[in-house]
Amino acid sequence: MSVAKKEYKRITVKSLVDMKSRGEKISMLTAYDYTMAKIVDGAGIDVILVGDSASNVMAGHETTLPITLDHMIYHASSVVRAIDRALVVVDLPFGTYQSDPKEALRSAIRIMKESGGHAVKMEGGKEIKESIKRILNAGIPVMGHLGLTPQSIYKFGTYTVRAKEEQEAKQLKEDALMLEKAGCFALVLEKIPAKLAKEVAKSVNIPVIGIGAGNGVDGQVLVTHDMVGMTHEFNPRFLRRYMNLYEEMTNAFSQYGKDVKSGDFPNDKEQY
């Protein structure tokens, strides 16, 4: 059943909770720079995630682990300058919150003060509970992230679907309830069975955003560079490519090179 969409001048954490209560789905995409964020925001996407996936997409690293807090602040500040409507959520990168709640708070404060972001996102459940509480007590909104947590890739050893076994599924449900009780305003579930994700979404009052978690959740997130086809090697089941920019851009660059070599560019109308 379709639900009437309410127009928001600005999306806030309260807007997202209201959207869930009305049954309105939440749209979320990544951005790491001003130009892309301007387009995503102008298209009416509700949430922009400045993801640590910038480590892969922008810097070419194999994992998200190498990106630093300074890098995340740089990307986030570029995005914030572009937006008029979307809520900007910034990933806390690996190593800035897992072991020390005080360091977690310092990291979150730096992101909020230096980038102007609206909230932070953190991967994990009960093991980072104290860090989450410390950040929330400072008045900083936190989005949780369960299921496949890329910052723990060396622990898992694979990017395969998580929580297929009963024990891990049980722990994920408990962690979701814990994150809500702690005060998180929303939760990302990555690459888990659709049935489990739907159960979690129904068990909590906060919005649940899925990536590879089926359509029984409250919203969806994708990496923008993947969904517009700028990347082409990455082909998980959950990814829908809305464009093939890799091919279109390659053709455009190739034609430009040929036009320059032949002297066709610039022509008489393209010079002073």
Side-chain angles (χ1 to χ4, degrees), residues 19-161:
M19 289 166 76
K20 170 163 181 158
S21 67
R22 292 199 313 273
E24 180 184 342
K25 297 286 189 177
I26 298 163
S27 60
M28 181 169 167
L29 285 171
T30 60
Y32 319 104
D33 65 87
Y34 177 89
T35 303
M36 187 69 83
K38 194 79 172 174
I39 298 169
V40 172
D41 184 63
I45 299 302
D46 299 314
V47 184
I48 293 179
L49 173 65
V50 185
D52 57 4
S53 47
S55 180
N56 313 100
V57 176
M58 305 301 286
H61 293 296
E62 184 179 1
T63 71
T64 61
L65 273 60
I67 201 164
T68 67
L69 186 61
D70 285 339
H71 292 149
M72 291 303 301
I73 290 169
Y74 166 78
H75 287 295
S77 60
S78 300
V79 167
V80 168
R81 284 191 289 270
I83 60 99
D84 292 316
R85 176 181 177 274
L87 181 79
V88 178
V89 179
V90 186
D91 268 336
L92 278 176
F94 176 73
T96 63
Y97 64 92
Q98 285 90 345
S99 61
D100 182 356
K102 291 182 180 179
E103 183 180 10
L105 178 58
R106 286 193 294 269
S107 301
I109 288 174
R110 279 200 63 198
I111 282 180
M112 300 297 282
K113 285 177 68 71
E114 297 178 39
S115 79
H118 307 140
V120 298
K121 182 167 76 65
M122 304 167 68
E123 295 182 6
K126 62 181 181 180
E127 68 278 9
I128 61 164
K129 180 179 179 180
E130 293 308 312
S131 291
I132 290 172
K133 288 171 65 175
R134 183 72 65 110
I135 292 170
L136 286 167
N137 285 341
I140 298 172
V142 174
M143 175 181 280
H145 184 150
L146 297 173
L148 176 64
T149 48
Q151 290 181 9
S152 302
I153 183 56
Y154 290 123
K155 171 185 172 184
F156 293 140
T158 175
Y159 286 105
T160 191
V161 177

Side-chain angles (χ1 to χ4, degrees), residues 174-263:
E174 291 175 359
D175 281 340
L177 291 170
M178 181 277 294
L179 291 172
E180 178 184 32
K181 186 175 180 181
C184 289
F185 73 89
L187 172 63
V188 169
L189 293 180
E190 181 168 358
K191 216 168 181 183
I192 68 170
K195 181 181 177 183
L196 173 61
K198 186 175 183 178
E199 291 175 7
V200 172
K202 286 185 174 181
S203 72
V204 297
N205 294 312
I206 59 174
V208 175
I209 312 296
I211 177 167
N215 62 5
V217 291
D218 305 304
Q220 301 292 331
V221 59
L222 286 175
V223 172
T224 299
H225 289 66
D226 294 337
M227 61 86 73
V228 298
M230 290 180 74
T231 58
H232 67 289
E233 304 96 340
F234 182 62
N235 292 293
R237 182 189 299 185
F238 63 78
L239 174 61
R240 180 182 296 182
R241 293 197 191 278
Y242 286 79
M243 301 177 72
N244 186 357
L245 281 186
Y246 179 84
E247 184 176 312
E248 291 187 35
M249 293 172 75
T250 300
N251 290 340
F253 298 154
S254 176
Q255 188 60 53
Y256 167 75
K258 292 175 182 176
D259 291 347
V260 170
K261 297 288 187 183
S262 70

